[in-house]
Amino acid sequence: MKAVIIGATGSTGGFLVDELLADKDYSKVTVFVRSSTGKQHDKLAEHIIDFSSIESYKKLIVGDVIFSCLGTTLKDAGSKKNQWKIDYDIPVTFARLARENGIFSFVLLSSFNASVDSSIFYSTMKGEIEESISEMDYEQFIIFKPGLLLRDGSSRLGEKIIVGTLKLFNSIGLLERYSPMPTSLLAEKLAKAPKVLPTGTSVIKLDRIFDFAKNT
């Protein structure tokens, strides 16, 4: 299979690139980034692009499956408008162009609470992404909806506090289904998903991700 990735420089995306490059079932891995991943491999094709003009790179968005691990925080984006451009506009535009180019599978890293009916901006935005891509008639659409992620070297204070609290509860047998997931493990399952899941839409949530992890 030939894979395309957006969000390849993030914590999960970085691990995903490594997983796909090491997987013999993937013959080519194409990444679209703002700055280089710093990785070199015979199977890797890296395109440093201007994400404000994605349409001009359409002919390069080719393969069998596209993975989206793209996402930012409101703090880093600076405003809800900018966050929407990054988290919604970019993956949805890539999804449309990839489908027009015949890519049959889309794997989306979403959020546990994603819903168009949510009163929370971030969750609504993620829900809108899911719905927009679902309307593109991909033969296989896989949505991962993890809970809190363990990112190597994360500097987010709030994230560290929540992770510490959950680990404490987990250690005494409470809230185990909300166990934080290492992004390395999530990336491993993202890479395997298109190979083991059926056509149609599959939604992999929280504890099911852990079960999926045990069985693949």
Side-chain angles (χ1 to χ4, degrees), residues 41-105:
H41 195 283
D42 291 343
K43 296 196 298 186
L44 180 64
E46 181 178 271
H47 300 294
I48 300 174
I49 70 167
D50 176 0
F51 280 85
S52 66
S53 58
I54 299 170
E55 298 272 356
S56 63
Y57 305 99
K58 180 178 179 179
K59 66 180 181 180
L60 300 175
I61 309 173
V62 293
D64 302 302
V65 54
I66 178 168
F67 296 86
S68 174
C69 298
L70 194 66
T72 188
T73 64
L74 181 58
K75 179 181 178 181
D76 288 342
S79 68
K80 289 182 178 179
K81 181 179 180 180
N82 286 339
Q83 188 176 23
W84 186 275
K85 287 181 179 179
I86 296 168
D87 277 36
Y88 178 88
D89 290 347
I90 292 175
V92 169
T93 300
F94 265 96
R96 176 176 57 80
L97 297 176
R99 191 72 189 107
E100 290 174 359
N101 283 350
I103 292 181
F104 68 86
S105 177

Side-chain angles (χ1 to χ4, degrees), residues 5-18 29-33 35 37 39 44 46 51 67-70:
I5 307 176
I6 55 173
T9 56
S11 181
T12 303
F15 282 119
L16 177 60
V17 173
D18 293 337
V29 179
T30 301
V31 301
F32 292 88
V33 290
S35 58
T37 62
K39 302 178 189 291
L44 180 64
E46 181 178 271
F51 280 85
F67 296 86
S68 174
C69 298
L70 194 66

Side-chain angles (χ1 to χ4, degrees), residues 80-195:
K80 289 182 178 179
K81 181 179 180 180
N82 286 339
Q83 188 176 23
W84 186 275
K85 287 181 179 179
I86 296 168
D87 277 36
Y88 178 88
D89 290 347
I90 292 175
V92 169
T93 300
F94 265 96
R96 176 176 57 80
L97 297 176
R99 191 72 189 107
E100 290 174 359
N101 283 350
I103 292 181
F104 68 86
S105 177
F106 196 104
V107 182
L108 174 67
L109 177 55
S110 186
S111 172
F112 172 64
N113 291 316
S115 171
V116 293
D117 298 320
S118 176
S119 59
I120 300 171
F121 171 76
Y122 182 82
S123 298
T124 302
M125 178 177 60
K126 292 297 185 181
E128 291 283 359
I129 297 169
E130 293 178 8
E131 290 220 348
S132 294
I133 297 175
S134 70
E135 294 172 355
M136 296 180 189
D137 295 323
Y138 272 90
E139 294 171 43
Q140 183 187 57
F141 182 31
I142 302 168
I143 305 170
F144 275 79
K145 305 180 78 162
L148 190 65
L149 298 178
L150 288 174
R151 299 176 175 86
D152 288 351
S154 175
S155 60
R156 300 174 187 175
L157 179 59
E159 185 175 287
K160 289 181 177 179
I161 293 172
I162 296 172
V163 166
T165 302
L166 282 176
K167 283 185 173 180
L168 175 62
F169 280 119
N170 295 162
S171 69
I172 58 176
L174 298 175
L175 302 179
E176 291 183 353
R177 71 186 298 263
Y178 295 103
S179 298
M181 172 172 285
T183 52
S184 57
L185 177 60
L186 176 58
E188 178 186 337
K189 301 312 154 187
L190 287 167
K192 291 183 178 180
K195 301 190 293 181

